[in-house]
Amino acid sequence: MDLTALLVGLVIGALVGGLLAWLSARSSLLARSAGAEAERDVLRERVSDLEAARDVDDTTATLLAPLRDTIGRVERQVGALERDRSLQFGQLGERLTEVSRSTESLRSETATLATALNASTVRGAWGEVQLRRVLELSGLIARCDFDEQVTSVSRHGATVRPDAVVNLPGSRHVVVDSKAPMAHFLQAHGETVSEVERAELLAAHATALRRHVEGLAAKAYWTAFTRSPEVVICFVPGEAILATALADDPGLYEHALSRKVVLASPGTLFAVLRTIGAIWQQDAIEQNARELLAIGQDLYARLTTLGGHVTTMGQSLSRSVEQYNKFVGTLESRVLVTARRMHELHLTSERPPSLTPLEVAPRSLSAAELTDDLGRSARDDAFLDQVMGSGRHQGLPAAGTADGTAG
């Protein structure tokens, strides 16, 4: 009994244990299944999200494709610009190096020139070269429109030798001097000169130019050349040289004019010389007009003579026609009458010809210049007055004067 109960208890215990084990395993399986389903759902959502993200990425990639191409082109262009920039910076560096070398060379040459110009002979030669350049640039020709280093004697008996003498129409002359002082001006622009020293040197430069004006006035260059205006041109070979002196001494220009000296910078002298060139052109036009007037007068006289010859020829032709008509009348009334009578008597087979007098007379001259001898002198005077009047508008002298007498 006890054994049976024990076996039954063991069986029941085994069943209960198996049931419990089954329930435990089932609950574990159910838990794992639920976890698996939850994980499946999560993975399915992630897959859906990844697929949606891939679709979005594809759309974005499609939209960004042109931008990607543009960015690529920009990157290539930026690369090209960078290469060009590097190349240009290298070239610019080379150019800056060359400019630096040129500047140093120019500074050295300028210093050499300034040192050379400190000598009076070199300054004078440089001023003469500048003067010759301005003369040639203005269109004047050496030894024709101007002469250099002309030696002459003034009214004081002193020998003068101006740098240039500009020739004017009518054997007139204008004297130009180019030995203006500039030593203090060059010293004032030195690198080591202070402001106080520069002001003192510029004042000394203005004083030296005033003394030079007095020296030119004392020489009286214009007395050494006949028919020369009482003035001498003091050529200052630099605009800044003259402007600096006038700035320090404002009354210098008026003082020079009162002493019959004209201070002229290159620009001022160029304008004066161009005016002189225009005077020469006007003189050439005047001479051509005078020659044209003489030719016109000669042609007018020849036309008058030709008119007389034509009138004589017309009168001769009129007399010839008149004599011809008389001859025809005599032939008709005296000779052909007998010839017709012989034809009527059948002594000849041909009838004598009929003659008609000429009725066309030579055309008479109607031009007053060719026919009216009495008023010809008055017309000549009126013509010459008209020509000379138009010539005065062009700068010609009036008829009857010493320079423009009608021939």
Side-chain angles (χ1 to χ4, degrees), residues 134-140 166 266-282:
V134 174
L135 288 168
E136 292 176 348
L137 286 174
S138 63
L140 302 184
V166 181
T268 305
L269 182 61
F270 179 80
V272 172
L273 295 176
R274 291 292 293 178
T275 303
I276 293 175
I279 294 174
W280 273 112
Q281 294 177 358
Q282 190 66 28

Side-chain angles (χ1 to χ4, degrees), residues 76-118:
R76 290 191 295 271
Q77 188 173 3
V78 169
L81 291 176
E82 184 64 24
R83 290 192 300 270
D84 294 341
R85 185 185 64 82
S86 300
L87 179 61
Q88 291 174 359
F89 276 2
Q91 294 177 351
L92 180 60
E94 295 177 358
R95 296 294 183 272
L96 291 176
T97 303
E98 293 178 0
V99 169
S100 177
R101 289 196 295 265
S102 300
T103 304
E104 292 297 330
S105 176
L106 180 61
R107 182 180 292 107
S108 176
E109 293 177 359
T110 304
T112 304
L113 178 61
T115 304
L117 289 177
N118 288 327

Side-chain angles (χ1 to χ4, degrees), residues 229-291:
E230 295 184 4
V231 67
V232 59
I233 298 177
C234 177
F235 175 65
V236 182
E239 302 285 346
I241 300 174
L242 178 58
T244 303
L246 295 178
D248 192 82
D249 188 358
L252 176 59
Y253 199 86
E254 289 77 7
H255 174 73
L257 292 178
S258 66
R259 300 291 290 162
K260 300 179 181 180
V261 178
V262 178
L263 297 174
S265 62
T268 305
L269 182 61
F270 179 80
V272 172
L273 295 176
R274 291 292 293 178
T275 303
I276 293 175
I279 294 174
W280 273 112
Q281 294 177 358
Q282 190 66 28
D283 182 70
I285 294 174
E286 179 180 346
Q287 292 179 0
N288 292 336
R290 289 176 179 174
E291 183 178 358

Side-chain angles (χ1 to χ4, degrees), residues 140 144-147 165-174 226-229 272-287 290 394-397 403:
L140 302 184
C144 180
D145 300 323
F146 68 91
D147 298 296
V165 177
V166 181
N167 302 321
L168 298 177
S171 299
R172 293 177 173 84
H173 310 279
V174 174
T226 58
R227 306 184 67 184
S228 174
V272 172
L273 295 176
R274 291 292 293 178
T275 303
I276 293 175
I279 294 174
W280 273 112
Q281 294 177 358
Q282 190 66 28
D283 182 70
I285 294 174
E286 179 180 346
Q287 292 179 0
R290 289 176 179 174
Q394 299 294 329
L396 297 177
D403 293 336

Side-chain angles (χ1 to χ4, degrees), residues 289-303 380 383-384 387:
R290 289 176 179 174
E291 183 178 358
L292 179 61
L293 177 60
I295 293 174
Q297 293 173 347
D298 189 19
L299 177 61
Y300 191 83
R302 293 179 181 181
L303 287 174
D380 291 347
F383 171 75
L384 295 179
V387 172

Side-chain angles (χ1 to χ4, degrees), residues 4-17:
T4 301
L6 180 62
L7 291 173
V8 172
L10 289 173
V11 171
I12 292 170
L15 291 174
V16 172

